[in-house]
Amino acid sequence: MSTNDALKMLYKECLKLDPDEAVQLILGAETEEEQEFYSMVSDLILQQRQRKAIEENRF
């Protein structure tokens, strides 16, 4: 599997994250850098969901 394919799979898996799961990842991170990564992924997912809710007038 290429790096590109692996990253695409990672992206798809990240989109499936439940907010509670994201919090658990952040709290369970072994390093500050890992914690920051999970926080950024969580922020991205929330932003996408917010954008979709606004587009669908569900706010």
Side-chain angles (χ1 to χ4, degrees):
M1 175 184 303
S2 72
T3 301
N4 193 34
D5 290 338
L7 290 172
K8 284 183 180 185
M9 285 179 53
L10 175 62
Y11 172 73
K12 289 178 183 179
E13 288 301 312
C14 287
L15 292 178
K16 297 176 189 177
L17 270 178
D18 180 82
D20 292 331
E21 291 175 312
V23 169
Q24 291 305 312
L25 282 171
I26 294 165
L27 294 175
E30 295 179 13
T31 65
E32 190 174 318
E33 187 175 78
E34 185 179 359
Q35 185 179 37
E36 184 177 340
F37 174 78
Y38 294 140
S39 292
M40 290 170 45
V41 168
S42 178
D43 288 347
L44 173 66
I45 293 166
L46 288 174
Q47 288 171 5
Q48 289 178 336
R49 289 180 182 169
Q50 287 172 336
R51 187 177 308 118
K52 185 176 179 179
I54 291 169
E55 288 172 357
E56 296 174 355
N57 293 321
R58 295 187 297 142
F59 53 93

